[in-house]
């Protein structure tokens, strides 16, 4: 009966994936009109504009909205592999392919002793709960690379290191996955891959690293944790404004730089904690790399000046890898991330106007979503520390010699 039940469960999983992904595809193709602002304009307007520049052999180095490392060009140029489709349609199809690839990897990762299919189920459930934004950004492609890297970390460290470096050159955050890797082969492979790919772009395409200067003058994005300060302050006389700035809707005005600096400080503190954990951790299990990677991505997402909706795809993907391991300690944080997904969809795109207006509904949605992520971060960090860092050595129960015995002079 067990093989039959397993086949039935797999059929149900694939059936749900097919129905939900068809719905997402119909939304981005505008067959189904999804409420809120049009999330596909990033692809049809911004990505397409970058595509027209990239095909000339240079990066859009005069466009401050280009804030991505050089390998991101491959994602933007990827619709060229489907020349028979219009650019946006081809991009959406490739996002679907990346989604399917991540599911296939998670199903493969569920095989074997000590493994579980919970990760695949989390991916199938979490992605559609974020709405059509998932297919209208290239983050699902990056997440598929990160999933592959984490699942390869145990048995194929060189492959894992190369994938982590390539992922970092797609969108920086997969570099965090290296913090959890112990084997030197992965670090050497990552360094070699990073230098080779980055060097190739630097030589072949001008402006490969222009993006580094475009982050400096950013404000605080309206969906970030720090933005809650200004959402409330607007009701108490704060005279700043909300503007489209550097490609996102941000708060600009008095004290914004203070909050942005505070966010950077928190990010630095998160990095310091992760380094301390890495130095003190001694108990490593097969699931530890995935647990640590998920924790790291959570901490950096929560402390960022920007929490765009597509960032949630990173969390769903890394959490799904954790749940491929039965002994993972990340069950509760993963559940909180899953609950945060539909709240994220409600705050963007469904009721994004309320968020921008800082009204009661918008502030409540942000407080709930960001509160869930903060709680998930703290739970994940605590679970990771307890599982891997040894406690203080216990005091022996048998008393030692008395003072008189220790100081007695031999006869």
């Amino acid at each position: 009966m067990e093989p039959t039940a397993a086949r039935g469960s797999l059929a149900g999983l694939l059936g749900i994936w097919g129905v939900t992904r068809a719905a997402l595809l119909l939304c981005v193709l505008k067959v189904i009109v999804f409420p809120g602002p049009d999330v596909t304009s990033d692809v049809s307007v911004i990505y397409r504009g970058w595509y027209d520049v990239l095909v000339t052999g240079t990066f859009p180095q005069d466009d401050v909205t280009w804030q991505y490392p050089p390998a991101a060009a491959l994602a933007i140029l990827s619709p060229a592999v489907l020349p028979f489709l219009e650019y946006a349609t081809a991009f959406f199809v490739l996002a679907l392919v990346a989604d399917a690839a991540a599911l296939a990897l998670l199903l493969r990762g569920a095989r074997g002793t000590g493994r579980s299919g919970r990760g695949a189920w989390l991916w199938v459930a979490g992605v559609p709960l974020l709405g059509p934004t998932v297919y209208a950004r290239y983050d699902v492609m990056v997440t598929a690379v990160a999933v592959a890297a984490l699942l390869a970390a145990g048995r194929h460290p060189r492959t894992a290191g190369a994938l982590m470096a390539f992922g970092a050159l797609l969108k920086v955050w997969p570099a965090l996955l290296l913090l959890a890797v112990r084997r030197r082969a992965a670090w050497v492979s990552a360094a070699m891959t990073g230098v080779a790919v980055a060097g190739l772009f630097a030589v072949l395409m001008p402006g490969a690293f222009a993006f580094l200067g475009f982050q400096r003058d950013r404000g605080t994005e309206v969906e970030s944790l720090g933005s809650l300060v200004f959402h409330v302050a607007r009701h108490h006389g704060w005279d700043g404004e909300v503007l489209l700035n550097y490609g996102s809707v941000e708060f600009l005005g008095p004290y914004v730089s203070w909050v942005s600096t505070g966010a950077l400080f928190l990010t630095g503190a998160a990095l310091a904690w992760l380094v301390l954990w890495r130095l003190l951790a001694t108990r490593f299990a097969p699931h530890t790399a995935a647990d640590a990677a998920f924790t790291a991505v959570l901490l950096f997402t929560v402390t960022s000046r920007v929490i765009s909706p597509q960032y949630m795809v990173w969390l769903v993907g890394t959490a799904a890898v954790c749940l491929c391991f039965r002994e993972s300690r990340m069950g509760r944080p993963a559940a909180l991330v899953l609950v945060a997904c539909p709240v994220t969809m409600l705050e963007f795109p469904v009721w994004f106007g309320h968020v921008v207006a800082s009204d009661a509904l918008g502030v409540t949605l942000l407080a709930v979503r960001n509160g869930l992520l903060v709680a998930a971060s703290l739970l994940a960090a605590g679970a990771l520390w307890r599982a891997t860092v040894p406690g203080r050595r216990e005091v022996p129960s048998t008393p030692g010699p008395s003072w008189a015995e220790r100081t007695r002079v031999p006869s």
Side-chain angles (χ1 to χ4, degrees):
M1 291 298 292
E2 289 184 3
T4 303
R7 285 195 295 271
S9 177
L10 178 59
L13 180 88
L14 295 177
I16 294 171
W17 183 89
V19 171
T20 55
R21 273 43 177 194
L24 289 179
L25 204 56
L26 290 173
C27 286
V28 292
L29 293 174
K30 300 182 182 178
V31 176
I32 298 174
V33 178
F34 203 80
D38 180 13
V39 300
T40 66
S41 61
D42 275 35
V43 176
S44 59
V45 178
I46 299 175
Y47 286 13
R48 179 54 199 261
W50 290 339
Y51 175 92
D52 291 338
V53 175
L54 291 167
V55 293
T56 67
T58 184
F59 284 89
Q61 49 191 323
D62 297 324
D63 184 351
V64 296
T65 63
W66 175 262
Q67 299 172 9
Y68 307 108
L74 299 177
I76 304 303
L77 292 170
S78 62
V81 304
L82 301 174
F84 49 88
L85 294 176
E86 187 269 333
Y87 179 86
T89 303
F91 185 91
F92 301 144
V93 170
L94 292 173
L96 174 68
V97 171
D99 181 355
L103 176 60
L105 289 165
L106 291 166
L107 287 171
R108 182 177 179 83
R111 298 175 183 173
T113 305
R115 298 301 183 98
S116 169
R118 295 180 302 159
W121 278 105
L122 179 68
W123 180 258
V124 168
V127 168
L129 289 176
L130 292 169
T133 306
V134 174
Y135 283 4
R137 307 290 187 272
Y138 80 91
D139 295 80
V140 67
M141 303 175 184
V142 184
T143 302
V145 174
V147 167
L150 283 175
L151 289 172
R155 296 182 179 179
H156 308 285
R158 290 184 178 85
T159 300
L163 287 170
M164 289 172 186
F166 181 68
L169 289 170
L170 279 170
K171 203 166 186 181
V172 180
W173 70 266
L176 296 170
L177 309 185
L178 279 166
L179 290 170
V181 177
R182 299 179 67 197
R183 299 176 68 174
R184 183 178 300 176
W187 283 85
V188 172
S189 177
M192 293 176 62
T193 301
V195 169
V197 176
L200 190 63
F201 275 107
V203 170
L204 298 179
M205 296 181 69
F209 296 97
F211 77 98
L212 293 172
F214 294 158
Q215 291 278 350
R216 184 176 53 239
D217 299 322
R218 295 198 65 166
T220 295
E221 193 256 347
V222 295
E223 297 163 274
S224 65
L225 182 62
S227 74
L228 288 168
V229 173
F230 300 110
H231 282 293
V232 174
R234 292 177 81 183
H235 297 280
H236 298 278
W238 181 71
D239 59 354
E241 54 188 347
V242 177
L243 293 174
L244 182 63
N245 186 54
Y246 290 88
S248 64
V249 180
E250 300 178 351
F251 282 114
L252 299 173
Y255 310 112
V256 171
S257 62
W258 293 14
V259 173
S260 296
T261 301
L264 292 173
F265 174 81
L266 288 175
T267 299
L271 177 60
W273 183 89
L274 287 165
V275 171
L276 178 64
W277 165 79
R278 188 64 186 81
L279 292 173
L280 297 180
T282 59
R283 297 192 294 260
F284 286 83
H287 58 83
T288 302
D291 287 1
F294 175 50
T295 302
V297 177
L298 259 174
L299 290 172
F300 274 76
T301 299
V302 167
T303 60
S304 175
R305 291 178 295 172
V306 179
I307 306 181
S308 295
Q310 60 268 25
Y311 292 11
M312 294 295 297
V313 186
W314 315 346
L315 299 177
V316 172
T318 50
V321 177
C322 293
L323 296 191
C324 285
F325 299 90
R326 292 188 184 278
E327 299 300 320
S328 172
R329 304 300 181 93
M330 296 297 139
R332 288 192 294 169
L336 291 176
V337 167
L338 185 62
V339 174
C341 287
V343 183
T344 299
M345 181 179 63
L346 290 176
E347 64 91 358
F348 184 90
V350 177
W351 286 322
F352 190 59
H354 293 277
V355 173
V356 173
S358 301
D359 65 18
L361 177 58
V363 174
T364 299
L365 286 171
L366 279 183
V368 171
R369 195 280 302 272
N370 291 346
L372 287 167
L373 294 184
V374 170
S377 300
L378 296 176
L379 285 173
L384 178 67
W385 188 277
R386 289 190 299 273
T388 57
V389 177
R392 290 182 299 177
R393 186 173 299 172
E394 295 182 359
V395 178
S397 57
T398 303
S402 67
W403 180 84
E405 291 174 328
R406 293 196 306 269
T407 57
R408 183 177 57 191
V409 178
S411 57

